């Protein structure tokens, strides 16, 4: 059975772009460190040539009361990494496990419950994204459509801009952008928000400005700072979060959603039979 622990690494990653130059230096140390050592403020300050006051400000920016609380949590979840990888299969599986641990650390159950309510209340749902995030948007459409949600996915720039004008207070718009900087996705979220729609951004990059036009900011795990993050499909962190939301949505009305799912399966089988005959 997998063992999940709350780690502060994904929190640092999500806030990285908002750090000052000094704070990024501190973040890089904790993100890249692979050995146990004396993590006292005095020792770390000397190690990376910053002041103890800078360490305190960094810890507070990460959501902690001070450096002592920050480092306590860091030491609780710190695992010294080995340079030796047994084989390629284990390498990939270990990377997935690390990514799942990141997801667990970012999980906000109250937020998931709110999103499920938005999905139930919305008359129309739009999921949008570009590239690998666009594939995640298409997957969301495929899954939720089969349990009765009126949902459409958008991957084309022009369609995103056109659909923006049709959103209203009965709409829910989900934007997928790992970087948090995809112009077309941000445009749709901003325009939909202006028209009263509920808006959700799924991203690995936390920015204060998102609160101006997003009802919810869902943080997903970053592939950065993983030993072999380059072997993982970039949409995987979003798909994991989507599975969690999907499971909560289905559980909200287990029997009704299961019946709808079975109906869609029968419809698909019926259509395939008709075609082959």
């Amino acid at each position: 059975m997998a063992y999940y622990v709350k780690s502060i690494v994904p929190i640092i990653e999500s806030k990285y772009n908002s750090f000052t130059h000094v704070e990024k230096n501190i973040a890089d140390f904790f993100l890249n460190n692979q050995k146990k050592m004396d993590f006292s403020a005095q020792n770390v300050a000397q190690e990376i040539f910053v002041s103890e006051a800078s360490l305190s400000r960094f810890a507070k920016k990460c959501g902690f009361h001070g450096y002592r609380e920050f480092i306590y949590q860091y030491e609780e979840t710190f695992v010294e990494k080995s340079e030796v990888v047994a084989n390629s299969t284990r390498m990939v599986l270990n990377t997935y496990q690390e990514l799942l641990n990141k997801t667990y650390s970012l999980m906000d159950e109250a937020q998931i419950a709110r999103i499920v309510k938005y999905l139930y209340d919305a008359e129309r749902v739009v999921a949008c994204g570009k590239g690998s995030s666009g594939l995640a948007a298409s997957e969301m459409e495929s899954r939720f459509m089969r349990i009765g949600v009126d949902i459409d996915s958008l991957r084309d720039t022009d369609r995103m801009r056109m659909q923006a004008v049709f959103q209203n207070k009965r709409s829910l718009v989900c934007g997928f952008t790992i970087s948090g900087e995809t112009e077309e996705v941000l445009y749709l979220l901003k325009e939909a928000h202006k028209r009263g729609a509920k808006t959700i951004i799924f991203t690995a990059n936390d920015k204060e400005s998102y609160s101006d036009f997003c009802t919810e900011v869902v943080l997903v795990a970053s592939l950065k700072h993983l030993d072999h993050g380059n072997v993982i499909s970039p949409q995987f962190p979003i798909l994991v979060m989507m599975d969690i939301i999907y499971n909560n949505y289905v559980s909200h009305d287990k029997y009704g959603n299961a019946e709808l799912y079975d109906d869609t399966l029968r419809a698909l089988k019926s259509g395939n039979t008709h075609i082959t005959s």
Side-chain angles (χ1 to χ4, degrees), residues 98-116:
E98 194 171 353
L99 194 55
L100 290 172
N101 270 318
K102 285 188 175 186
T103 300
Y104 178 72
S105 299
L106 293 169
M107 185 57 51
D108 183 341
E109 295 290 352
Q111 182 182 61
I112 298 299
R114 292 194 299 271
I115 292 172
V116 167

Side-chain angles (χ1 to χ4, degrees), residues 176-247:
F176 300 102
T177 166
I178 294 292
S179 68
E181 298 176 353
T182 309
E183 182 181 350
E184 299 88 342
V185 172
L186 296 180
Y187 175 84
L188 178 52
L189 289 170
K190 289 175 181 178
E191 292 301 311
H193 175 77
K194 289 178 184 177
R195 290 165 172 78
K198 291 282 193 302
T199 53
I200 304 173
I201 186 170
F202 293 78
T203 182
N205 183 17
D206 192 12
K207 292 183 179 179
E208 291 184 6
S209 59
Y210 294 151
S211 62
D212 295 336
F213 57 92
C214 292
T215 311
E216 299 285 347
V217 178
V218 179
L219 295 178
V220 299
S222 171
L223 297 179
K224 295 180 180 178
H225 308 106
L226 294 172
D227 282 345
H228 303 281
N230 60 321
V231 305
I232 302 298
S233 300
Q235 69 266 32
F236 179 76
I238 295 177
L239 295 176
V240 172
M241 190 63 69
M242 191 192 307
D243 282 345
I244 293 170
I245 294 172
Y246 180 85
N247 180 66

Side-chain angles (χ1 to χ4, degrees), residues 6 49 73 89 103 113 118 121 137 141 145 160 172 203 215 264 269-270:
K6 290 284 186 180
F49 307 104
Q73 184 66 32
T89 299
T103 300
Y118 299 152
D121 292 344
E141 176 189 13
M145 178 178 62
M160 287 187 205
L172 172 63
T203 182
T215 311
T264 58
K269 290 179 180 178
S270 175

